[in-house]
């Protein structure tokens, strides 16, 4: 998923300060990045989700309040809870409806008179992990977001891959189920294609995130539990939870190992709430490494380290890469 750029890059380099805003459906976090790898949060304000003029005014006032006048040309980058089409820079966001259809980077660039870049939040997280996180030094980094649902992003040599429609890395969607889980000793269960919010059925998202784990547990046992309860019971040796997690690990490791084979990733940083479950991530790593063609002698599926500030760190990386590369792909 993806990005956007600037056309005017008035001579600043990678070491110069840049500014970043992490824009979610509830709040915007504004930060300065005085140098690569460092972000300092300066402000947090509510996101005006329903009005484009209010959205513009809020971003402008953050700049006026926090950016010194000698940083007039400093680039600004946004991490947004939404998609950006790499073809034309148009944003789509369910949580921030006023930016849908807006050519976010270009319109803000004109309004603010400085270079502006924008990328999807999972992409910013991927850039953060690839450049300033556990993916540093790995040529191919595939980030897997495992929160309430499933998402992801792909970076090669520290750069985002900005594919068609801005949806690169979306391993959570596409019909993957319609398969049988083998519990051993002839004990098998057929897993159907559950309907997914994207309009298809059988997506990894339907069984892979926290909500998916709960759906799978209910399907196997007919009882409702939260993902925390399932994981706690699994750690405690509960047979029902163990059965759920055996199925879960197969159903998630199968497609994730395919992703590793296709991309050539040597590291899969995991973000989202499930990344804070060490037993789960270690088991997923073992299951993926058993399935991939390359024989890794180290864990590849590991918790990300930019969980808290990944959007801001990644946006700052995007701003610096944009300044140096000076692309304007996606300009409307
Ligand atoms: Zn789907």
């Amino acid at each position: 998923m993806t990005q956007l750029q600037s056309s005017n890059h008035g001579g600043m380099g990678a070491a110069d300060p840049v500014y970043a805003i992490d824009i979610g459906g509830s709040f915007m976090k504004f930060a300065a990045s005085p140098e690569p790898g460092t972000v300092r949060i300066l402000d947090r304000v509510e996101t005006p989700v329903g009005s484009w003029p209010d959205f513009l005014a809020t971003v402008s006032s953050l700049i006026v309040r926090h950016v010194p006048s000698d940083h007039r040309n400093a680039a600004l980058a946004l991490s947004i809870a939404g998609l950006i089409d790499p073809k034309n820079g148009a944003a789509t966001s369910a949580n921030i409806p006023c930016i849908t259809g807006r050519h976010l980077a270009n319109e803000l660039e004109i309004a603010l008179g400085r270079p502006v870049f924008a990328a999807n939040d999972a992409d910013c997280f991927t850039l953060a992990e690839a450049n300033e996180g556990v993916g540093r030094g790995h040529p191919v980094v595939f980030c897997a977001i495992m929160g309430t649902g499933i998402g992801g992003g792909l970076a090669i040599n520290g750069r985002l891959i900005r594919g068609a429609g801005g949806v690169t890395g979306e391993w959570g969607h596409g019909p993957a189920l319609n398969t049988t889980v083998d519990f051993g000793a002839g004990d098998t269960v057929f897993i159907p294609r559950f309907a997914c919010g994207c309009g298809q059925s059988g997506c990894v998202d339907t069984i892979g995130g926290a909500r998916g784990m709960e759906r799978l547990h209910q399907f196997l046992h007919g009882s409702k539990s939260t993902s925390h309860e399932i994981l706690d019971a699994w750690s405690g040796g509960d047979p029902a939870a163990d059965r759920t997690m055996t199925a879960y690990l197969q159903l998630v490791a199968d497609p994730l190992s395919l992703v590793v084979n296709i991309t050539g990733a040597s590291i899969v940083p995991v973000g989202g709430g499930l990344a804070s479950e060490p037993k789960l991530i270690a088991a997923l790593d073992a299951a993926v490494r058993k399935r991939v063609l390359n024989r890794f002698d180290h864990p590849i599926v590991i918790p990300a380290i930019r969980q808290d500030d990944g959007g801001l760190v990644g946006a700052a990386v995007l701003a610096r890469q944009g300044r140096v590369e000076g692309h304007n792909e996606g300009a409307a």
Side-chain angles (χ1 to χ4, degrees), residues 191-274:
I191 308 294
R193 287 183 170 174
F194 301 110
C196 181
C198 75
Q200 301 189 74
S201 61
C203 297
V204 178
D205 193 75
T206 63
I207 52 87
R211 295 298 86 77
M213 184 187 292
E214 292 159 6
R215 177 184 287 112
L216 188 61
H217 188 78
Q218 187 170 11
F219 173 78
L220 292 171
H221 307 291
S223 61
K224 282 194 176 174
S225 301
T226 67
S227 59
H228 292 292
E229 289 166 348
I230 297 165
L231 289 165
D232 282 352
W234 181 46
S235 289
D238 175 70
D242 189 66
R243 192 170 173 85
T244 299
M245 294 313 296
T246 298
Y248 181 90
L249 288 167
Q250 179 189 313
L251 296 171
V252 175
D254 281 356
L256 191 52
S257 61
L258 186 60
V259 168
V260 170
N261 283 341
I262 291 170
T263 60
S266 53
I267 192 96
V268 181
V270 181
L274 294 178

Side-chain angles (χ1 to χ4, degrees), residues 2 11 15 35 53 97 156 184 242 311 327:
T2 292
E35 66 215 358
I156 297 184
D242 189 66
H327 294 185

Side-chain angles (χ1 to χ4, degrees), residues 108-152:
L108 283 171
E109 188 161 301
I110 291 163
L112 303 174
R114 66 177 63 240
V116 179
F117 305 85
N120 165 264
D121 49 10
D123 276 350
C124 283
F125 183 72
T126 301
L127 271 178
E129 285 299 321
N131 290 279
E132 309 290 348
V134 293
R136 203 173 172 150
H138 289 262
V140 182
V141 176
F142 184 81
C143 256
I145 316 279
M146 301 177 65
T148 54
I150 294 286

